[in-house]
Amino acid sequence: MAATGGCVAFSTLLLSCKLTPSPSSGNLRPNQIRRRFAVSSESQFTATVRNETKRTTSFGENGIFKEKNKGEVREGVSEEKPKNPYEGGGGGPPRWFSPLDCGSRLDNSPLLLYLPGIDGVGLGLIMHHQSLGKIFDIWCLHIPVKDRTSFTDLVKLVEQTVRSENFHSPNRPIYLVGESLGACLALTVAARNPDIDLSLILANPGTSFEKSQLQPLIPLLEILPVQYQLSLSYMLSSMTGDPLRMAMDKVMKGPPLQQAAEGLSKDVVAMSSYVRVLANILPKETLLWKLKMLKSASAFANSRLHAVKAQTLLLTSGRDQLLPSEDEGKRLRHALPKCEIRRFNNNGHYIFLEDGVDLVTVIKGASFYRRGKRHDYVFDYIPPTPSEFRNICESNRLLMRATSPVMLSTLKDGMIVKGLAGIPSEGPVLFIGYHMLLGFELVPMVTTLLMERNILMRGIAHPMMFMRKKEGNLPELSSFDTYRIMGAAPVSGNNLYRLLSSKAHVLLYPGGLREACHRKGEQYQLIWPEQSEFVRMAARFGAKIVPFGVVGEDDFGEVVFDYDDQMKIPFLKDFIKELSAEADTVRTGLNSEVNQDIHSPVVLPKFPGRFYYYFGKPIETAGMMCELRDKDNAHELYIQVKSEVEKCLAFLQEKRESDPFRNILARLAYQSTHGFDSEVPTFEL
């Protein structure tokens, strides 16, 4: 639902929060550490001193936001509930609040300061505060409707809070999440504080105000007589895109008619409620003030873009009818030094209130979450939630049905069984196998292992999926967000070391890109380097090595124009070299046989066959570290693993010949009588 119960939901959120009050006099005990918490006034800023408490995984144990036992009063807050800002009585200076129902945070969670858009009260936080609260310490800036604090004073307010928090926790990053006006605020604070560790998440930044449709509203509102109140509903409805279109999108997704009709009704009502909320809290005088502030904020932020050094994630909407956000995203991407972009082509201005946009998922997909100075792909990783995993499975349902994967594994006694019972439950485990053409085997393997065994297979992947040395023709980094959500990490000895030390189940392809983009006639050939790259690392942690093979690519496509063919054509050769220069290379210094340039072979599709996976008997390395220090012994084990993978491939190629359901037509006929979600039989073992 796009913004279910817009007014009621956010009113409830505010009433369950603790608003930081104006500072009051009082003495602190000597053994308490003082921390400043900034609050603004019309022209001056004061500070509230709060007790320093140890940060734990419980959100309720976060200093002044802690809820006392029944009968006690929250620290620094009267028993009277804060007024609902939508009731017209909300006043006072801007202040911070933190929702109390945000779930348990991770240890050492970074601070997230949410900077609202033109509404000023943080409507965009409605649908995200609970999920954000599990991984962040959230503070939201609340600007009462009647407040007239200037943009520069708001900058000082946020800046004072940022500096105070950085002083007391210098190793903890601070996230500034801003939409439209809040994005200008975040950029300005970042420009004025380049030495503070900030991460910016900017949704449809207001820096494009000069090119927007909002400009003509300022003179119109200035001359409009008071007796003619401007109807804001039509204009504000564009902030969330087209409610009817977004609701109809759900109908087209294919749910039952009755369910679709109910969803359509709820979405339209929700959007209408949101529009009425904004129209009520933004009377003519307030709207005029907000627009003038946005104009000055845009100019202020644009004049300081050159000073922004912070890591930035831009979220831009393709259907933003208020601001030219799509074009502005392209401009800012080139203007800011550490900037990535995520595009939401079918969303309106307020993307945080629209269905299908999960801010936590976006952050995880962009590898934008960190608890230290740098992002750690191992210890900063957060596994996918059930809803995220369902969405990934749903988006790959067609591939799963087309491939109908067969999974085989080997028990400790050497017995081959259907299913994944032979996969060790306890890590560390290192999966070593054949990388099929274009990596089509990854999705069925990783999702099935997680569904059936609750084992998350963390892949070691090519650097082009995580970073670029320069912009060019490679697919955008957002194309690989799903892989990062599922735990992929850039290939490096350090990442493999850290994954195995954390007892993870790790997927490694020695053949890498060279194997996945193999030449004509090379299907099911292992193209591995001569060096035993992973053996001693596995032995260091006593990891079990699981060799595996997968076949089926030759039943889905055939390479007809490979790397050798492309390199014979001058302009294609230059194009491949340009692509390869955009990302880091792997195995620098090794022979060209395994150090593959980035390219895409041309594949002729075939009538779909079936994917077959066979996981061999796990090879124990526990207690072999001293023995494998000898290069000859390590190489011998390396050759053994390679031989086991080749045996797995040969076994599958032989056994699939007796599978009566290898052809997709046979599988469809079976499923038409047994149900399309039924498991299709295969060959006998």
Side-chain angles (χ1 to χ4, degrees):
M1 202 106 25
T4 306
C7 180
V8 176
F10 198 74
S11 300
T12 304
L13 170 63
L14 282 180
L15 293 177
S16 67
C17 298
K18 171 153 184 180
L19 290 171
T20 303
S22 298
S24 58
S25 61
N27 296 323
L28 292 174
R29 289 173 293 182
N31 62 345
Q32 292 176 325
I33 302 174
R34 298 187 176 185
R35 299 183 64 193
R36 295 188 180 275
F37 197 85
V39 186
S40 76
S41 180
E42 287 281 347
S43 60
Q44 64 178 7
F45 297 96
T46 56
T48 296
V49 180
R50 65 182 172 94
N51 297 338
E52 170 69 8
T53 58
K54 182 178 180 181
R55 298 191 182 276
T56 69
T57 55
S58 173
F59 195 42
E61 297 176 19
N62 186 28
I64 65 169
F65 304 123
K66 176 180 178 181
E67 183 114 16
K68 297 287 187 179
N69 294 329
K70 191 172 183 180
E72 293 183 354
V73 181
R74 297 180 194 171
E75 180 181 345
V77 180
S78 64
E79 294 181 350
E80 180 182 356
K81 290 183 178 179
K83 292 183 178 180
N84 184 346
Y86 302 131
E87 294 176 352
R95 69 208 76 170
W96 299 99
F97 72 81
S98 184
L100 287 171
D101 58 342
C102 282
S104 298
R105 295 196 315 278
L106 300 175
D107 291 334
N108 302 317
S109 296
L111 175 64
L112 185 148
L113 302 180
Y114 186 87
L115 310 177
I118 197 171
D119 60 275
V121 293
L123 282 171
L125 204 57
I126 293 175
M127 301 176 66
H128 305 276
H129 71 280
Q130 289 186 334
S131 57
L132 285 170
K134 294 178 181 178
I135 60 175
F136 288 105
D137 182 1
I138 304 177
W139 298 359
C140 178
L141 182 62
H142 173 74
I143 307 172
V145 176
K146 296 181 179 180
D147 180 75
R148 294 296 182 265
T149 302
S150 68
F151 177 74
T152 53
D153 282 348
L154 289 176
V155 170
K156 293 176 184 177
L157 164 63
V158 178
E159 186 176 62
Q160 184 173 340
T161 303
V162 165
R163 290 178 177 177
S164 174
E165 288 301 307
N166 180 71
F167 176 77
H168 290 94
S169 301
N171 296 321
R172 181 172 77 149
I174 299 175
Y175 283 71
L176 301 181
V177 179
E179 49 178 332
S180 61
L181 177 64
C184 296
L185 192 54
L187 284 168
T188 304
V189 171
R192 289 161 58 100
N193 298 272
D195 296 328
I196 294 181
D197 187 10
L198 297 175
S199 290
L200 311 184
I201 301 176
L202 312 178
N204 297 323
T207 47
S208 61
F209 180 83
E210 293 293 331
K211 305 174 185 176
S212 74
Q213 304 177 43
L214 295 174
Q215 279 265 65
L217 274 179
I218 295 179
L220 176 62
L221 290 173
E222 287 177 334
I223 64 174
L224 190 71
V226 177
Q227 60 268 32
Y228 297 104
Q229 280 293 336
L230 179 64
S231 176
L232 304 177
S233 297
Y234 175 76
M235 185 200 74
L236 293 176
S237 66
S238 64
M239 284 185 169
T240 53
D242 183 349
L244 184 59
R245 177 194 60 78
M246 293 193 311
M248 288 302 297
D249 283 346
K250 286 192 173 183
V251 178
M252 300 304 294
K253 290 180 181 178
L257 182 60
Q258 181 178 358
Q259 179 182 347
E262 292 175 356
L264 175 64
S265 174
K266 291 178 180 178
D267 281 349
V268 172
V269 170
M271 283 300 168
S272 300
S273 299
Y274 168 67
V275 170
R276 287 197 299 271
V277 168
L278 282 181
N280 289 334
I281 68 173
L282 296 181
K284 171 195 164 183
E285 296 80 7
T286 301
L287 180 60
L288 180 58
W289 170 263
K290 295 283 187 180
L291 291 177
K292 287 183 176 180
M293 180 188 288
L294 184 56
K295 181 179 181 179
S296 64
S298 175
F300 204 91
N302 278 316
S303 67
R304 289 160 175 78
L305 287 180
H306 64 278
V308 177
K309 307 299 180 186
Q311 181 187 24
T312 306
L313 179 63
L314 289 175
L315 314 180
T316 62
S317 297
R319 295 180 180 268
D320 189 341
Q321 300 177 34
L322 287 183
L323 299 171
S325 297
E326 196 168 19
D327 292 337
E328 183 66 3
K330 297 176 183 177
R331 183 182 77 90
L332 291 178
R333 185 180 186 181
H334 291 92
L336 300 174
K338 303 175 185 176
C339 185
E340 288 187 34
I341 190 169
R342 294 298 181 271
R343 295 181 174 89
F344 300 84
N345 296 327
N346 297 316
N347 294 87
H349 182 71
Y350 265 75
I351 54 178
F352 291 155
L353 286 170
E354 296 190 24
D355 187 46
V357 178
D358 188 322
L359 183 54
V360 170
T361 302
V362 173
I363 292 172
K364 290 161 64 174
S367 296
F368 209 71
Y369 182 76
R370 60 189 175 93
R371 283 171 277 184
K373 292 292 184 182
R374 296 179 180 83
H375 176 75
D376 188 318
Y377 285 97
V378 178
F379 296 111
D380 284 333
Y381 173 68
I382 302 170
T385 63
S387 62
E388 289 170 344
F389 183 61
R390 282 194 300 270
N391 291 337
I392 292 172
C393 291
E394 183 65 25
S395 64
N396 290 282
R397 191 194 330 183
L398 183 61
L399 175 63
M400 294 292 289
R401 287 187 173 178
T403 59
S404 189
V406 175
M407 301 282 177
L408 307 175
S409 61
T410 309
L411 302 179
K412 290 183 178 180
D413 59 5
M415 181 180 179
I416 302 174
V417 295
K418 293 179 181 178
L420 300 171
I423 303 297
S425 300
E426 299 295 327
V429 175
L430 184 59
F431 295 89
I432 302 292
Y434 169 69
H435 209 353
M436 203 159 63
L437 180 64
L438 301 179
F440 282 128
E441 81 281 2
L442 280 168
V443 170
M445 178 171 61
V446 174
T447 55
T448 303
L449 191 60
L450 187 54
M451 282 190 294
E452 294 188 4
R453 292 294 312 279
N454 196 31
I455 292 174
L456 181 63
M457 180 184 281
R458 300 206 56 188
I460 298 291
H462 196 281
M464 70 174 176
M465 297 171 58
F466 303 89
M467 61 201 76
R468 301 289 161 75
K469 292 192 290 187
K470 62 179 182 178
E471 291 188 20
N473 296 303
L474 282 176
E476 290 195 355
L477 288 173
S478 58
S479 306
F480 306 106
D481 283 1
T482 298
Y483 295 94
R484 289 191 286 269
I485 290 173
M486 292 301 295
V491 58
S492 73
N494 183 55
N495 282 338
L496 179 59
Y497 178 94
R498 294 165 73 84
L499 283 168
L500 293 177
S501 68
S502 65
K503 300 187 182 301
H505 288 69
V506 186
L507 172 64
L508 176 65
Y509 290 111
L513 185 64
R514 174 64 180 85
E515 216 166 65
C517 296
H518 61 68
R519 280 49 152 178
K520 289 179 287 189
E522 288 184 343
Q523 60 268 23
Y524 309 131
Q525 294 182 23
L526 300 187
I527 308 171
W528 291 12
E530 293 297 325
Q531 295 90 333
S532 52
E533 297 179 318
F534 57 83
V535 170
R536 281 187 281 188
M537 186 78 77
R540 184 185 184 95
F541 298 99
K544 302 176 183 68
I545 299 177
V546 178
F548 73 92
V550 52
V551 303
E553 67 169 77
D554 53 339
D555 282 346
F556 280 80
E558 180 181 356
V559 178
V560 295
F561 194 57
D562 62 16
Y563 175 78
D564 293 336
D565 296 328
Q566 295 176 32
M567 292 297 285
K568 294 176 182 178
I569 302 176
F571 80 90
L572 285 180
K573 179 179 180 180
D574 293 340
F575 181 71
I576 290 173
K577 293 301 180 183
E578 290 175 3
L579 283 182
S580 300
E582 294 174 24
D584 289 329
T585 58
V586 182
R587 297 170 174 143
T588 303
L590 295 185
N591 61 70
S592 59
E593 184 61 23
V594 294
N595 196 7
Q596 177 66 61
D597 287 332
I598 298 174
H599 76 289
S600 179
V602 178
V603 179
L604 181 66
K606 289 185 177 182
F607 206 62
R610 197 172 191 181
F611 282 177
Y612 302 85
Y613 299 78
Y614 173 32
F615 296 90
K617 183 179 179 181
I619 300 173
E620 297 283 349
T621 66
M624 298 179 64
M625 187 172 68
C626 294
E627 178 183 349
L628 294 178
R629 285 177 180 170
D630 182 81
K631 289 185 178 181
D632 292 335
N633 291 337
H635 188 70
E636 183 179 341
L637 181 56
Y638 180 76
I639 296 300
Q640 179 188 347
V641 174
K642 184 177 182 180
S643 175
E644 290 297 323
V645 174
E646 291 173 334
K647 289 178 182 178
C648 291
L649 291 170
F651 175 84
L652 291 174
Q653 290 180 79
E654 177 186 352
K655 296 294 292 185
R656 70 172 175 173
E657 298 296 334
S658 60
D659 184 0
F661 299 100
R662 178 177 173 182
N663 190 282
I664 192 174
L665 294 180
R667 297 199 299 275
L668 289 175
Y670 179 88
Q671 291 177 325
S672 65
T673 57
H674 294 79
F676 283 98
D677 291 328
S678 60
E679 183 179 354
V680 180
T682 186
F683 52 77
E684 295 294 331
L685 293 174

